[in-house]
Amino acid sequence: MHYLDWIVVAAYLSYVIWQGVRLSRQSKTAESFFLAGRSLPWWAVGLSVMATQMSAITLVGTTGQAYTDGMRFIQFYLGLPLAMVILCVTAVPFFYRARVYTAYEYLERRFDARTRTLTSSFFLLSRGLGVGVIIAAPAVILSIVLGWNEFATIFAIGLSTTVYTMFGGVRAVTWTDVKQMVIIFAGLTICVVVILRGFPEGVSLGDGLKLAGATGMLQTIDFRFDLSERYTIWSGLLAAMFLFLAYFGCDQSQVQRYLTARSVDEGRTSLMMSAFLKIPLQFLILLIGVLIFIFYQFRPPPLVFNESGASQAVAAQPARFHELERQYGELLSLREATATRFLATDSREDREAYAAANSAVLDKSQETRDFIREAGGNETFNDVNYVFPVFVIQNMPVGVVGLIIAAIMAAAMSSVAAELNSLATASTMDFYKRHINPDSDDRQVVIFGRWATLLWGVFACIVATFATNLGSLIEVVNTFGSFFYGSLLGVFVLAFGLPGARAVGAFWGLIVGIIAVWLASTFTDVAFLWFNVVGAVFTITAGLLISRFSVEAR
Amino acid sequence: MLPGRANEPTPSTSRWRRIYLAVAIYTVLAIVLLYAFSSYFGG
């Protein structure tokens, strides 16, 4: 990386740390440290909500996914606006008026202490591990692509985030999120401009999209109703809506964002901001993946983006790899020729010839990945997440590379900061203040909150160092989260919407919901998004039945 | 009464109803536009 890019990245990291330390003077009481004194404007909270949701792996993985698989993933976000409306009617006013610090505190007011403790424990466990993965994923990618030391990258992201979160509390997290979103928007916009300028003379954006359309990459809506298919309009509108209800309505890392708003209406408006902006933003990110695909129609893309992951296979069978490279080069030349002809004639035959040539290129890429997995003994080899960073390093001008690396780090750090802040809040309010030291004063609570932030930050960095080596750990963490989310949503539906639900029903309903999701994941091939529906439905049904039975038994 | 439930409707209720309706229309519009985008470019 050029020294100017280093300066951009270093300036960014220094600024966010300074920002946190500067705001520490305004975070002396529990309400100011954890909830910013409920004083933040809706637009800052709204940007913080979006920044928290967009991790680095969303930014890097989604562009890579669009490059290889097209824009189908956009359907995942179709249920988000509807989920936001439901939360504006239910969760936001209920939490805000109850003046709670954590979502789980509300469950004690509505049900009992053990339901609060159980749900908060699940949150701490799943998020504590999850935040390690959020740090690990971009750290591995940046260390491979840029040649940075992996541990140094993990601790640069993890500890700098911990410092500003620890000193500045939620106020620093939110205002840093705002600036990080500006960096992300700026990075993405410049990226689009540079890619478009890189198109050959005479090839317009419309021409490029015509090429992408011919390969099926612009297929955005799939009307098939197939429970095993991950992304369809139905899984987006229904199953993903349940996921967003659980994430934005029951996960402390998001609930805490809108609890910092000045009023119920400002909290609602912050969620409405996501409702309107999330789909266009995600469309832009996916479009960048497609634009990279178009860019590479007229310049040869690397056979493998993750060269480091392929090195063992190349060393083991160099002749086989070079033969694959040669065949790949020939297929790329054929694809470019058919693309040029299709754009010139716009005929059906040439369109089909181009689509066939592109399929041959994709098949050769797949053959190469299979070869790397087999010959290199690298079963978890992944190329998708390396497309965007490698493209940036190889094709972006000096300075812009630094800005986009800073944007990737900003995406990671904004998510990590919100997670650490919410983990510290739940640890402090649901355990320290509730069980360990109920008589603690404001000063003690803030001190404990700061220490909890530091401990969770160090814990996340340690988990991240293991997650880089154990591919399956990432899967375990994600699966654990999906087991829990729908069931937690079910408990909150019982709390907000069903006055007949009782504490015993909520507690055991949650357990039944988690068991139901485990059974669904073990004995069916239902796609994971539907686990949220299964968990919620079983928790609500069991919760109601147990509540009713326990009333009759009394 | 449930914790956090408002005692009476707030003055801004009707404004919020219009906003929620706008979100529902927006979602339908997003689907239509995405479908049109795919169809136009031959997806």
Side-chain angles (χ1 to χ4, degrees), chain A residues 81 88-89 93-94 97 106 110 209 213 218-220 265 268-269 272 275-276 280 351 496, chain B residues 2-6 10 12 15-16 19-20 23 26-27 31 34-35 37-38 41-43:
Chain A
C88 284
V89 176
F94 276 75
R97 290 184 190 127
Y106 182 87
R110 174 68 176 82
L209 291 176
L218 302 184
Q219 182 71 40
T220 51
D265 274 5
R268 284 172 166 155
T269 312
M272 283 298 106
F276 283 106
R351 176 192 162 98
F496 295 142
Chain B
L2 300 179
R5 168 160 281 181
T10 58
S12 61
R15 182 171 74 92
W16 279 104
I19 294 172
Y20 299 151
V23 174
Y26 170 80
T27 305
I31 294 169
L34 285 170
Y35 188 75
F37 173 77
S38 303
F41 289 106

Side-chain angles (χ1 to χ4, degrees), chain A residues 27 65 113 126 130 132 139 151 165 170 172 198 208 289 310-311 318 351 361 449 485 534 543:
Chain A
S27 305
Q65 194 172 357
S126 64
F151 290 104
T165 309
V170 74
S311 58
R351 176 192 162 98
V361 169
Y485 255 5
V534 172

Side-chain angles (χ1 to χ4, degrees), chain A residues 68-69 302-304 320 324 328 331 358-374 379 381-384:
Chain A
T68 52
D69 194 33
L303 175 56
V304 178
R320 172 83 180 113
L324 283 168
Y328 184 66
L331 290 171
N358 184 60
S359 292
V361 169
L362 294 181
D363 289 345
K364 192 54 68 182
S365 297
Q366 183 59 49
E367 188 184 335
T368 308
R369 287 195 291 274
D370 292 340
F371 159 74
I372 291 167
R373 289 189 188 109
E374 285 168 23
E379 285 182 17
F381 175 78
N382 169 305
D383 212 30
V384 170

Side-chain angles (χ1 to χ4, degrees), chain A residues 209-538:
Chain A
L209 291 176
K210 205 159 72 176
L211 289 175
T215 65
M217 292 186 82
L218 302 184
Q219 182 71 40
T220 51
I221 303 290
D222 183 349
F223 287 104
R224 286 175 300 162
F225 191 83
D226 182 352
L227 291 181
S228 61
E229 191 66 42
R230 188 172 284 189
Y231 304 120
T232 65
I233 190 171
W234 312 114
S235 70
L237 282 174
L238 190 61
M241 186 183 79
F242 272 71
L243 174 66
F244 290 128
L245 284 172
Y247 176 58
F248 289 102
C250 319
D251 190 308
Q252 178 64 16
S253 63
Q254 284 292 0
V255 171
Q256 197 168 351
R257 304 303 105 221
Y258 49 82
L259 286 180
T260 61
R262 285 176 186 151
S263 64
V264 173
D265 274 5
E266 295 225 8
R268 284 172 166 155
T269 312
S270 70
L271 290 190
M272 283 298 106
M273 192 173 168
S274 274
F276 283 106
L277 291 183
K278 190 65 193 175
I279 294 174
L281 177 64
Q282 209 57 43
F283 183 85
L284 174 69
I285 294 172
L286 287 164
L287 189 65
I288 288 175
V290 171
L291 291 177
I292 294 173
F293 168 82
I294 298 165
F295 179 91
Y296 279 134
Q297 298 308 293
F298 304 100
R299 292 161 201 235
L303 175 56
V304 178
F305 286 89
N306 178 6
E307 283 183 6
S308 170
S311 58
Q312 279 182 314
V314 177
Q317 296 185 36
R320 172 83 180 113
F321 185 76
H322 292 315
E323 175 60 14
L324 283 168
E325 270 188 323
R326 192 191 61 74
Q327 292 169 352
Y328 184 66
E330 284 177 5
L331 290 171
L332 286 178
S333 302
L334 178 66
R335 184 174 72 173
E336 186 180 342
T338 54
T340 308
R341 201 163 57 236
F342 168 47
L343 289 180
T345 65
D346 202 16
S347 71
R348 178 181 284 272
E349 294 80 34
D350 288 331
R351 176 192 162 98
E352 284 170 4
Y354 165 69
N358 184 60
S359 292
V361 169
L362 294 181
D363 289 345
K364 192 54 68 182
S365 297
Q366 183 59 49
E367 188 184 335
T368 308
R369 287 195 291 274
D370 292 340
F371 159 74
I372 291 167
R373 289 189 188 109
E374 285 168 23
N378 184 0
E379 285 182 17
T380 57
F381 175 78
N382 169 305
D383 212 30
V384 170
N385 294 333
Y386 294 84
V387 172
F388 183 62
V390 168
F391 170 80
V392 167
I393 299 292
Q394 291 182 351
N395 299 287
M396 291 285 162
V398 171
V400 176
V401 173
L403 177 68
I404 294 173
I405 298 299
I408 293 172
M409 292 177 89
M413 290 166 74
S414 57
S415 302
V416 172
E419 303 291 357
L420 292 180
N421 187 230
S422 58
L423 286 164
T425 308
S427 309
T428 308
M429 291 304 179
D430 293 337
F431 292 90
Y432 175 74
K433 178 79 176 160
R434 176 67 183 80
H435 296 295
I436 299 168
N437 189 4
D439 300 325
S440 53
D441 59 22
D442 244 15
R443 196 181 67 86
Q444 289 172 307
V445 166
V446 172
I447 290 172
F448 187 89
R450 290 211 162 105
W451 277 107
T453 309
L454 178 64
L455 289 176
W456 279 115
V458 172
F459 176 75
C461 289
I462 293 168
V463 171
T465 59
F466 285 103
T468 57
N469 297 322
L470 299 172
S472 59
L473 180 65
I474 296 172
E475 204 177 313
V476 168
V477 170
N478 288 338
T479 309
F480 184 79
S482 66
F483 273 30
F484 169 59
Y485 255 5
S487 308
L488 185 59
L489 175 64
V491 173
F492 278 96
V493 171
L494 290 170
F496 295 142
L498 299 161
R502 287 156 37 82
V504 66
F507 184 84
W508 289 107
L510 176 62
I511 307 282
V512 169
I514 291 171
I515 293 170
V517 173
W518 175 74
L519 290 172
S521 71
T522 309
F523 297 107
T524 71
D525 62 349
V526 170
F528 83 96
L529 272 179
W530 291 99
F531 291 169
N532 299 293
V533 183
V534 172
V537 168
F538 273 85

